[in-house]
Amino acid sequence: MQPVLQCVQVKPLPAQNGAQERFRVVFSDMRNYVQSMLATQANYLVNDNKLVKGCFVRLKSFQANQVKGKRILIVLDLDVLDEFGICEKLGEPQALEFKMEEDVKPQSTTISSNGFYGNKPAQQQQQPQQQKSLPSRSSGSSASHANIYPIEALSPYAHKWSIKARCTSKSDVKTWHNKNGEGKLFSVNLLDESGEIRATGFGEQCDLLYDLFHEGGVYYITSPCRVQLAKKQFSNLKNDYELTFERDTMVEKAEEQDGVPQIRFNFTSIGDLQSVEKDTAIDTIGILKEVGETSQIVSKTTSKPYDKRELTLVDNTLHSVRLTIWGNTATSFDVLPESVIAFKGVKVSDFNGRSLSLLSSGSMTVDPDIDEAHKLKGWYDAQGRNDTFSSHASMGGSMGAAGGRNDPTKSILQVKEENLGMSEETDYFTAKATIIFVKQENVAYPACLSEGCNKKVAEINGEWRCERCDKNHPKPEYRYIMSINVSDHTGTMWLSCFDDVGRMIMGMSADELMTLKETNEKAAEEVFHQANCKTWIFKCRAKMDNFQDQQRVRYQVSGASALNYSNECRKLEELIKLYNIDGT
């Protein structure tokens, strides 16, 4: 059934910070009206002034749910019938009345086009109430989950909900150690016909639920389960919210696998990668042309080894790309060349032109039963096997070596007027400036004693622990991480300095300065004062940075040197010659 209704009200809902705008809509059939919530994928109809008060619509996909004790429709898809125009409210519709909750047998509320209140309820005997809700490993049926929500409708305001979703990705268990203790977590991506959401289990929930979830399986997840704003740095899903499993969250494997879509892709062709911004997460599909050997690298940030394997993919745009897979995915990879592989959640890099890397939250599907895969396989068998492919690596990247750069000398005003650091690329410059203020707060951090590490350490039970080296030290080595305000004849700006430059500016090591602050605070303040009013040649780089959800340009000092007065005199001589003034 696809009912034709009149829209009698459209009202925006208050949203949390960072969340997408939501709209409440009231629809009428002239006899009754019903409160509805518009799925965010349909927001464009309101923003484009198509869904307005008085227009007529055809509901194509919707679900009936209970939110805060009220029955509403979650509208997933609809058409605005422009041919009927806009008119005043027809009839005198009354609020749609529902039977009391206890009089209604549990039933599925999923609606597409075959029922307004859902499918016919299955006959069910009343089950005795359990004394305590614990995460369940038994299978369940849709009849025992009456209030099925679409993922799109989940928000911190939703209560007493269940979702029926497919697990499209499952991470490995990750552990951590810090000054607050240690812990473990895992995460899964969940998909239904309305959208996707990430769910994470910590500690006890990690132990209880990790073995229950399998990629491709369908599950019921029932509140209590925390809904919170998504941490975008850990997920590539387009959802403003994410879930955290709690102690009483119910997770059940569904016997029925129907009604829930398989993994959903939004493919970018290999030929279009040059137009995709660096660090963007995308989906792609291609023919596996070459499979590299497994190798191992050591992370610069953690000093831990990671297994990797490089694959070469091609598609019918006649382009190839190198894609890196990691960890267990790399070591257990046994896909035959010339197979079709669909990747969900790969990161675009500008290393050697363009390359791809499978994210920890991403997944790959071999020979998927989708139209794109069938077309790609047909093309390859017909002609692609003998075609020649252009490599993104051969197109040249935007890389450049730091060595051998002749950084231009800029005044502070020129740095700002020329918008250095505002583009995607890092800008380098040299500035002659005088220090007018050294920020004393957070001037140094406790670092690891291991040679070449420099990672920040945390004090735990009287010892200093380095997560990167997985070692405990009796004491740290303090290193500078300074903010200084500098000035020239055109203006002022803030610069960030690290340990080598900090030692030059302060005239002592950070360890010595921190000891002095503890033993003689006045003497330490005098060291800060002595650093002021000195002029240096700063070699800097300018790059856009994100700070508290706001973008700003950060100026970082890579090196500094004291004034060479002979060189400065020669520069002034050259400058005078530019004015064509004869010396006498």
Side-chain angles (χ1 to χ4, degrees):
M1 182 176 69
Q2 296 187 353
V4 174
L5 306 172
Q6 185 183 27
C7 172
V8 296
Q9 187 182 70
V10 181
K11 184 179 180 181
L13 292 173
Q16 286 191 345
N17 292 335
Q20 280 187 277
E21 189 176 23
R22 303 298 295 265
F23 294 97
R24 186 180 296 277
V25 186
V26 179
F27 292 115
S28 163
D29 65 358
M30 293 192 298
R31 291 186 178 182
N32 299 103
Y33 65 84
V34 63
Q35 300 278 349
S36 306
M37 183 180 292
L38 198 64
T40 55
Q41 65 259 30
N43 279 359
Y44 73 96
L45 293 172
V46 178
N47 295 329
D48 293 347
N49 291 322
K50 292 183 178 180
L51 182 59
V52 295
K53 181 178 179 180
C55 73
F56 294 88
V57 301
R58 177 182 288 109
L59 302 189
K60 297 169 64 178
S61 180
F62 50 94
Q63 295 182 339
N65 280 289
Q66 188 171 6
V67 178
K68 294 185 178 181
K70 296 181 181 180
R71 294 290 186 93
I72 69 168
L73 288 186
I74 307 296
V75 180
L76 304 173
D77 192 15
L78 74 163
D79 288 333
V80 177
L81 306 178
D82 295 327
E83 61 269 26
F84 294 144
I86 299 174
C87 65
E88 295 295 326
K89 181 175 66 176
L90 299 179
E92 294 296 331
Q94 304 298 314
L96 185 63
E97 295 183 0
F98 298 93
K99 293 183 179 181
M100 295 299 292
E101 184 74 20
E102 58 267 25
D103 295 334
V104 181
K105 293 182 178 180
Q107 57 183 325
S108 171
T109 59
T110 300
I111 297 176
S112 178
S113 59
N114 56 0
F116 189 83
Y117 296 104
N119 301 325
K120 292 183 179 179
Q123 296 296 323
Q124 178 185 3
Q125 294 181 350
Q126 186 174 3
Q127 300 292 331
Q129 185 175 2
Q130 294 182 343
Q131 291 183 347
K132 186 177 181 181
S133 295
L134 290 173
S136 172
R137 295 174 183 243
S138 63
S139 59
S141 65
S142 60
S144 64
H145 299 84
N147 204 22
I148 299 294
Y149 267 54
I151 286 175
E152 174 66 33
L154 291 179
S155 75
Y157 306 109
H159 301 283
K160 296 183 179 179
W161 52 263
S162 294
I163 59 173
K164 182 182 181 183
R166 188 179 303 277
C167 174
T168 60
S169 176
K170 173 184 168 182
S171 74
D172 295 329
V173 174
K174 300 176 182 178
T175 59
W176 75 87
H177 304 268
N178 57 33
K179 63 181 180 181
N180 297 321
E182 58 185 34
K184 64 177 69 173
L185 64 87
F186 84 104
S187 61
V188 291
N189 291 347
L190 302 171
L191 167 74
D192 70 6
E193 65 176 7
S194 71
E196 291 182 271
I197 196 167
R198 181 174 182 263
T200 303
F202 294 87
E204 183 181 356
Q205 274 56 55
C206 179
D207 295 332
L208 287 171
L209 300 176
Y210 184 79
D211 291 332
L212 175 61
F213 280 102
H214 297 281
E215 291 186 2
V218 177
Y219 301 86
Y220 291 103
I221 294 95
T222 303
S223 62
C225 184
R226 192 188 317 154
V227 184
Q228 60 194 25
L229 287 174
K231 299 179 179 66
K232 295 295 186 179
Q233 66 270 33
F234 300 124
S235 175
N236 62 310
L237 301 183
K238 296 180 179 179
N239 196 318
D240 293 322
Y241 298 109
E242 63 184 14
L243 304 177
T244 299
F245 297 124
E246 297 185 334
R247 188 171 69 89
D248 293 328
T249 301
M250 296 289 294
V251 178
E252 302 172 81
K253 188 170 184 179
E255 292 180 353
E256 319 86 15
Q257 300 289 303
D258 59 335
V260 180
Q262 299 290 333
I263 186 170
R264 182 175 295 158
F265 297 98
N266 183 19
F267 291 124
T268 298
S269 69
I270 296 175
D272 290 336
L273 290 179
Q274 285 291 338
S275 61
V276 179
E277 290 187 9
K278 176 181 176 291
D279 296 333
T280 302
I282 65 165
D283 305 338
T284 194
I285 186 171
I287 300 287
L288 180 62
K289 192 70 172 175
E290 297 176 2
V291 180
E293 296 294 328
T294 304
S295 60
Q296 201 171 74
I297 64 169
V298 177
S299 170
K300 292 182 180 179
T301 56
T302 65
S303 292
K304 295 180 180 179
Y306 290 92
D307 295 309
K308 59 177 285 192
R309 188 193 294 265
E310 293 185 353
L311 313 176
T312 300
L313 298 180
V314 299
D315 69 3
N316 53 7
T317 63
L318 301 185
H319 284 80
S320 68
V321 69
R322 178 173 51 82
L323 189 150
T324 305
I325 55 178
W326 303 90
N328 293 334
T329 305
T331 55
S332 62
F333 187 84
D334 60 355
V335 181
L336 295 175
E338 301 191 351
S339 300
V340 179
I341 309 183
F343 290 91
K344 183 172 183 65
V346 292
K347 181 180 177 181
V348 178
S349 169
D350 61 358
F351 181 72
N352 279 346
R354 276 292 186 269
S355 58
L356 303 174
S357 177
L358 182 63
L359 296 169
S360 60
S361 59
S363 63
M364 70 177 188
T365 306
V366 180
D367 293 325
D369 187 15
I370 56 178
D371 289 343
E372 292 89 345
H374 299 317
K375 291 177 182 178
L376 205 55
K377 187 64 174 176
W379 158 80
Y380 189 77
D381 290 340
Q383 67 180 74
R385 185 175 284 108
N386 300 317
D387 281 337
T388 301
F389 300 93
S390 299
S391 170
H392 281 287
S394 65
M395 296 181 183
S398 57
M399 299 188 309
R405 255 193 339 263
N406 185 18
D407 300 336
T409 300
K410 302 284 185 181
S411 68
I412 292 176
L413 182 61
Q414 287 175 319
V415 169
K416 296 181 178 180
E417 285 187 341
E418 295 176 16
N419 293 322
L420 298 187
M422 296 292 285
S423 64
E424 294 182 3
E425 302 299 325
T426 302
D427 291 316
Y428 298 87
F429 64 94
T430 299
K432 182 175 70 173
T434 302
I435 298 174
I436 58 175
F437 181 73
V438 179
K439 189 175 180 181
Q440 297 189 29
E441 297 80 12
N442 301 320
V443 71
Y445 72 96
C448 177
L449 289 173
S450 300
E451 184 177 356
C453 178
N454 300 334
K455 180 79 172 178
K456 184 177 181 180
V457 294
E459 187 176 14
I460 302 175
N461 299 326
E463 293 188 315
W464 296 83
R465 177 168 178 78
C466 176
E467 289 297 325
R468 177 179 177 180
C469 300
D470 196 20
K471 293 180 180 178
N472 291 333
H473 299 286
K475 65 176 184 177
E477 176 191 21
Y478 281 91
R479 295 178 62 86
Y480 285 113
I481 180 169
M482 301 169 55
S483 291
I484 61 174
N485 194 236
V486 300
S487 171
D488 67 6
H489 63 288
T490 65
T492 63
M493 67 178 175
W494 285 93
L495 300 178
S496 298
C497 308
F498 296 109
D499 195 62
D500 290 343
V501 177
R503 286 171 178 263
M504 296 175 61
I505 292 174
M506 303 303 293
M508 63 177 62
S509 69
D511 260 340
E512 293 170 331
L513 179 62
M514 297 304 289
T515 301
L516 191 61
K517 288 184 72 173
E518 292 178 358
T519 58
N520 191 336
E521 190 171 348
K522 287 187 176 180
E525 289 183 358
E526 182 61 27
V527 173
F528 281 98
H529 291 317
Q530 290 294 326
N532 290 330
C533 301
K534 292 183 178 180
T535 302
W536 298 84
I537 304 296
F538 295 102
K539 294 184 72 66
C540 306
R541 62 179 183 177
K543 187 172 178 62
M544 187 66 72
D545 187 24
N546 287 313
F547 179 73
Q548 295 182 347
D549 297 328
Q550 291 185 350
Q551 284 193 324
R552 63 174 187 178
V553 178
R554 186 179 184 186
Y555 305 107
Q556 212 169 72
V557 179
S558 58
S561 60
L563 287 181
N564 184 318
Y565 291 99
S566 296
N567 289 339
E568 292 300 312
C569 286
R570 282 195 294 268
K571 289 179 183 179
L572 290 174
E573 287 177 2
E574 294 297 326
L575 185 61
I576 292 173
K577 289 179 181 179
L578 293 177
Y579 290 93
N580 293 321
I581 299 176
D582 294 330
T584 57

